[in-house]
Amino acid sequence: MQHSLSPLLLAKEEGMRVKWGEFQSALPQFEGLGANQLDFS
């Protein structure tokens, strides 16, 4: 397990919904940011 994934696992244990997504390029990521659909907290 990667150390960087541990906050996601902790969130799931607390009953929070976690959805992991990867972007193939920057444009879809910027579109998600513009649509207020990405959360980095």
Side-chain angles (χ1 to χ4, degrees):
M1 177 173 67
Q2 292 180 346
H3 180 68
S4 61
L5 295 179
S6 58
L8 296 175
L9 296 176
L10 290 174
K12 277 189 167 185
E13 289 176 0
E14 294 294 322
M16 297 177 194
R17 192 178 115 213
V18 176
K19 183 176 180 182
W20 182 269
E22 293 187 16
F23 297 94
Q24 298 297 319
S25 65
L27 184 59
Q29 185 176 5
F30 291 141
E31 290 175 349
L33 284 168
N36 201 26
Q37 295 295 313
L38 298 181
D39 185 10
F40 295 101
S41 56

